[in-house]
Amino acid sequence: GVPVIWFCYTSVICQLDIIYRTISAKETAHLDIQPQGSKQAEAFVNAFLKNSLSRLSAEQIQTHLHRKAVILEHVLKRRKKQKRRKAKCLSAKERRELRIFELKPEEQRYELFLPLHELWKQYIRDLCNGFKPDMQTQTIQTKLMKADFHGAIVTVVKSKCPSYVGATGIILQEMKHIFKIITEENKLKVIPKQASIFSVEIDGFVSYIYGSKFQLRSSERSAKKFKGKGSIDL
C-alpha cells in the first residue's frame, strides 16, 4: 500500500498536514489499500519528491514543503513527426530512356496477346451488361467511348494515309495521339488517331472510333462527357 496524493494533469498543491496524515480505515477500505503510519508516509513522500524533483536538492525540497506548497508538473515528451516520403514517379523522359514500354522482338507475337483480348471482351460484356437485342445503340456507344481499349482488336477502315487502311491488330498501348497494335503477321504498328477511323467488333456489335475526336488518354476519357455532334468526317 502507498499513501494517496491527489493531483491533476497540470499541477498538484500538497500541504504538509495532508501529505503526512494517516488515511482513515474508511478511506483505505474504499481505495482497497493497506493503511500506513505517518513515518512510512513521510518516507514514501520524501522518496517520491526526490525522484520527481531530481533537479532540486533535498534542502530545496524541504524548503518547498515548509512553504506548504509543492507543484508537481507532468511534462509530456513531444514525439517528432516523421515526414512521409512521397514515392518519386518516373518522368516521361526517364520512361523513354529506360524503354519500359517497348517490346523485345521475341515478345512481338500476336498469339501471346490473344488471352488479353479475351479478357477485354469479358470486361466489355460486364461493362455493357451483355449485348441484348433490345439495348439502345446510343447507350452502348456511350459506354464504349469511356472504356479502356487495351486488348481490343481494331481495324483501320478509313484514313487520309492509304497505307494504314485495312490494318488490323490487338491494341497493346493507347496514348493520347496513337494506337500501338500487334498484327496477325507479328508486326508492331503505330497508327495515329488523327485523320483515321477505326472499327471494333464484339459479339456481332460493330462500333466506329473517330480518331480525331478520340485524342485522349484512356484515364482522361473515362471522366470526359461526350456530346453528340451529328456526323463526323475526317
Side-chain angles (χ1 to χ4, degrees), residues 197-211:
I197 299 177
F198 305 85
S199 68
V200 57
E201 184 272 335
I202 178 171
D203 294 345
F205 180 85
V206 180
S207 181
Y208 293 94
I209 300 171
Y210 289 82

Side-chain angles (χ1 to χ4, degrees), residues 133-144 205-207:
D134 57 342
M135 285 188 69
Q136 294 183 357
T137 305
Q138 185 65 31
T139 302
I140 297 175
Q141 288 179 338
T142 300
K143 291 185 177 181
L144 287 177
F205 180 85
V206 180
S207 181

Side-chain angles (χ1 to χ4, degrees), residues 98-114:
L98 293 173
R99 299 181 178 181
I100 60 177
F101 292 124
E102 292 186 14
L103 287 175
K104 297 177 181 178
E106 60 271 19
E107 296 172 347
Q108 296 178 16
R109 292 162 53 195
Y110 182 82
E111 59 196 35
L112 291 178
F113 300 97
L114 286 174

Side-chain angles (χ1 to χ4, degrees), residues 6-198:
W6 299 96
F7 63 96
C8 65
Y9 288 109
T10 55
S11 64
V12 176
I13 298 179
C14 305
Q15 293 184 351
L16 286 173
D17 57 341
I18 296 177
I19 292 176
Y20 297 137
R21 77 176 178 83
T22 304
I23 300 176
S24 66
K26 184 179 180 181
E27 290 172 333
T28 55
H30 176 71
L31 298 171
D32 193 23
I33 59 176
Q34 295 179 355
Q36 288 185 332
S38 59
K39 290 185 178 180
Q40 291 175 312
E42 183 177 354
F44 173 83
V45 170
N46 289 333
F48 176 78
L49 292 175
K50 184 177 180 181
N51 184 59
S52 301
L53 304 173
S54 56
R55 54 193 176 86
L56 299 179
S57 64
E59 293 180 357
Q60 290 175 318
I61 293 174
Q62 290 300 323
T63 302
H64 281 290
L65 285 175
H66 286 293
R67 288 178 181 173
K68 300 184 179 181
V70 175
I71 299 177
L72 303 178
E73 295 182 353
H74 179 67
V75 180
L76 290 174
K77 293 183 178 179
R78 294 184 179 180
R79 294 182 179 180
K80 293 182 179 179
K81 293 183 179 179
Q82 295 181 351
K83 294 183 179 179
R84 294 182 179 180
R85 294 182 179 179
K86 294 183 179 179
K88 186 180 178 181
C89 300
L90 294 175
S91 64
K93 182 181 179 181
E94 290 173 333
R95 290 196 295 267
R96 286 194 299 269
E97 290 176 349
L98 293 173
R99 299 181 178 181
I100 60 177
F101 292 124
E102 292 186 14
L103 287 175
K104 297 177 181 178
E106 60 271 19
E107 296 172 347
Q108 296 178 16
R109 292 162 53 195
Y110 182 82
E111 59 196 35
L112 291 178
F113 300 97
L114 286 174
L116 175 64
H117 175 59
E118 294 300 320
L119 288 174
W120 179 82
K121 288 197 296 184
Q122 188 58 50
Y123 153 68
I124 294 298
R125 291 188 187 110
D126 294 340
L127 181 67
C128 299
N129 298 317
F131 291 91
K132 300 176 183 179
D134 57 342
M135 285 188 69
Q136 294 183 357
T137 305
Q138 185 65 31
T139 302
I140 297 175
Q141 288 179 338
T142 300
K143 291 185 177 181
L144 287 177
M145 282 189 292
K146 296 189 176 186
D148 191 316
F149 279 86
H150 290 91
I153 293 179
V154 296
T155 300
V156 183
V157 295
K158 195 172 181 180
S159 176
K160 283 191 174 181
C161 182
S163 62
Y164 291 136
V165 177
T168 301
I170 300 173
I171 295 178
L172 301 185
Q173 189 177 7
E174 179 188 359
M175 296 183 181
K176 186 174 181 178
H177 301 290
I178 64 167
F179 283 129
K180 278 188 180 181
I181 65 173
I182 184 79
T183 68
E184 291 185 354
E185 294 78 22
N186 299 327
K187 292 183 179 180
L188 190 65
K189 290 190 175 183
V190 178
I191 311 294
K193 293 180 181 179
Q194 181 69 32
S196 297
I197 299 177
F198 305 85

